[in-house]
């Protein structure tokens, strides 16, 4: 089946491809409903089943992974902003689970983070949750389990699925809508490894650079090896390696809206379509003030980009990652124009700096904040049984699984600014739970109007984000890189 659907046909098409249990009851066929016991059929609007399943990412290349409803990615869940839903989450595994509603302003008992106090979905048990979806836009759901040294756990698994929350007035100025989930599989550890960062504007802060490099040199001088990093053997879009999924079939002149989710546990991804540009209209599901054309998308771990592509360059193309090795190992999908045949072509795009400021109104000034928190992020090389330990203001979040005391105490209704300084050479996709934030300073410039829930903070760089404390309870702040969050890079904010 093609991954391209018209807006109206989407739900019907989904019923054919996705696990039926994830669809609203009303759209299930009689045959599908028959598989529900009477007890279950009186239950929630949606059901998600966490289970270990084989997933075929290329012909006869079948990977065992924990999934939602036996498929990867998890089924697309379409919700309506402000219209309450109930979801039954069944855990058919041996491990207690957390299902996080990433990017939604939900209460603590729904959010899906044990650090905030969300109850676990017990092993071989279930939880029913009820919430009101908000805000509108492209969100997602994923496990929030700690993986630590277990490369089958946490987001190394297949526990990732897209959520789309429709607003009351969708503009819909496009012909088709496609969801793409980028995800690597078959992870292995290595010692050290470099994350590409030259796609960001090069604005290192000298004092942070000197601090980070000094600490690293001292550690290596003591004979410490470099801390573990993760690499992958296979790469997929929508669960299929490049060349092994159905192509995206388009016609000349069509305007296609791509909703791209980086579902990786650890990686930053890029995406280009030779001969075409992306008109970015939303970041992390939130409309941007200044939709702009870009040749390449760069998407941090857990970030989303929504962009319209005008199909005006007929051919058969590889829409793929700029990294040759990752693309050759699967990170791409074929885009095929009607009437065009032949081998899919890749053309490397010209170098380009990804800059969130392109999508802001030039000169926009942010609202002053009531209070500012400073945070400095530091890496202790290989300090935790060979893994890098991460600290925020000198403290690593405890790895015991218990709820730690909150590090930051807020007052409801106030507007806060977090001034983040990265004293490490790694790039960090910084995430705040249950709130959206506004980027107010990045790459040395102040700005306003870019609302996100994850922001990439480059090595030795600084950035500032603002948010309003309007969703009380414990709120988790963390780096979304699994290896970083699992080894200390988390902190709790609290207000009642
Ligand atoms: Cu990080």
């Amino acid at each position: 089946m093609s991954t391209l659907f018209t807006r109206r046909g989407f739900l019907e098409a989904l019923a054919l491809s996705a696990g039926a249990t994830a669809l609203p009851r009303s759209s299930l066929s009689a045959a599908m409903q028959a598989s529900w016991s009477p007890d279950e059929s009186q239950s929630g609007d949606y059901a998600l089943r966490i289970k270990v399943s084989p997933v075929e990412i290329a012909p006869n290349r079948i990977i065992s992974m924990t999934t939602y409803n036996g498929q990867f990615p998890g089924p697309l869940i379409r919700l309506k902003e402000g219209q309450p839903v109930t979801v039954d989450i069944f855990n058919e595994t041996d491990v207690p689970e957390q299902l996080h509603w990433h990017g939604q302003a939900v209460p603590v008992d729904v959010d899906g983070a044990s650090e905030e106090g969300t109850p676990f979905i017990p092993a071989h048990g279930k939880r029913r949750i009820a919430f009101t979806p908000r805000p509108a836009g492209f969100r997602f759901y994923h496990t929030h389990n700690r993986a630590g040294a277990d490369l089958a756990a946490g987001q190394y698994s297949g526990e990732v699925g897209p959520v789309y929350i429709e607003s009351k007035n969708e503009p819909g100025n496009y012909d088709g809508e496609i969801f793409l989930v980028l995800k690597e599989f078959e992870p292995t550890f290595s010692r050290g490894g470099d994350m590409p960062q030259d796609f960001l504007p090069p604005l290192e802060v000298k004092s942070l650079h000197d601090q980070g490099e000094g600490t690293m040199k001292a550690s290596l001088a003591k004979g410490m090896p470099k801390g573990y990093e993760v690499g992958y053997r296979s790469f997929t879009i929508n669960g299929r390696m490049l060349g092994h999924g159905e192509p995206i079939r388009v016609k000349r002149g069509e305007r296609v809206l791509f909703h791209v989710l980086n579902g990786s546990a650890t990686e930053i991804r890029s995406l280009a379509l030779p001969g075409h540009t992306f008109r970015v209209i939303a970041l992390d599901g939130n409309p941007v003030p200044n939709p702009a054309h870009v040749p390449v998308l760069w998407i941090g771990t857990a970030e989303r980009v929504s962009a319209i592509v005008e199909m005006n360059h007929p051919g058969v193309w590889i829409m793929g990652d700029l990294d040759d090795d990752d693309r050759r190992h699967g990170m791409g999908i074929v885009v095929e124009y009607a009437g065009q045949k032949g081998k899919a072509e890749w053309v490397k795009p010209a170098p380009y700096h990804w800059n969130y400021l392109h999508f802001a109104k030039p000169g926009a000034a942010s609202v002053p904040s009531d209070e500012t928190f400073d945070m400095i992020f530091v890496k202790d090389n290989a300090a935790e049984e060979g893994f890098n330990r991460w600290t925020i203001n000198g403290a690593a979040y405890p790895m015991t699984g218990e709820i730690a005391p909150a590090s930051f105490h807020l007052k409801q209704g106030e507007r806060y600014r977090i001034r983040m300084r990265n004293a490490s050479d790694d790039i960090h996709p910084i995430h705040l739970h249950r709130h959206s934030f506004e980027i107010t300073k990045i790459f040395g410039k102040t700005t306003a109007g870019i609302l996100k829930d994850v922001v990439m903070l480059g090595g030795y760089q600084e950035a500032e984000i603002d948010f309003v404390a309007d969703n009380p309870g414990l709120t988790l702040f963390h780096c979304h890189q699994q290896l970083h969050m699992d080894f200390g890079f988390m902190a709790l904010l609290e207000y009642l």
Side-chain angles (χ1 to χ4, degrees), residues 76-129:
L76 172 67
I77 297 179
R78 276 189 107 98
L79 303 170
K80 288 200 160 59
E81 187 180 31
Q83 188 173 307
V85 288
T86 56
V87 181
D88 290 321
I89 311 166
F90 299 87
N91 181 1
E92 298 178 4
T93 74
D94 302 329
V95 185
E97 270 287 349
Q98 286 286 350
L99 190 151
H100 172 47
W101 298 94
H102 185 118
Q104 290 202 52
V106 288
V108 160
D109 71 313
V110 168
D111 190 49
S114 59
E115 295 83 358
E116 296 172 340
T118 316
F120 278 96
I121 308 140
H124 303 284
K126 75 169 261 200
R127 257 199 101 206
R128 176 182 295 181
I129 54 169

Side-chain angles (χ1 to χ4, degrees), residues 390 424 426-430 478-485 489:
W390 293 90
S424 75
D426 298 63
I427 189 166
H428 300 294
I430 300 291
H478 67 92
C479 176
H480 218 286
Q481 215 278 25
Q482 185 92 47
L483 266 181
H484 300 182
M485 66 183 284
F489 204 144

Side-chain angles (χ1 to χ4, degrees), residues 182-218:
L182 318 184
K183 185 82 166 74
E184 311 81 4
F185 293 104
E186 299 182 278
T188 52
F189 287 122
S190 60
R191 282 212 176 78
D194 281 322
M195 187 83 82
Q197 302 209 21
D198 50 2
F199 66 92
L200 291 178
L203 278 156
E204 286 191 357
V205 176
K206 189 171 182 302
S207 60
L208 293 172
H209 179 273
D210 292 351
Q211 179 181 345
E213 294 297 311
T215 312
M216 180 55 98
K217 268 202 198 98

Side-chain angles (χ1 to χ4, degrees), residues 178 256-260 277-282 292 294 297 305-309:
I178 297 180
V256 178
L257 173 57
F258 288 95
H259 293 295
V260 189
T277 58
F278 297 92
R279 183 170 184 262
V280 174
I281 60 165
V294 295
L297 305 178
V305 175
S306 301
I308 292 175
V309 177

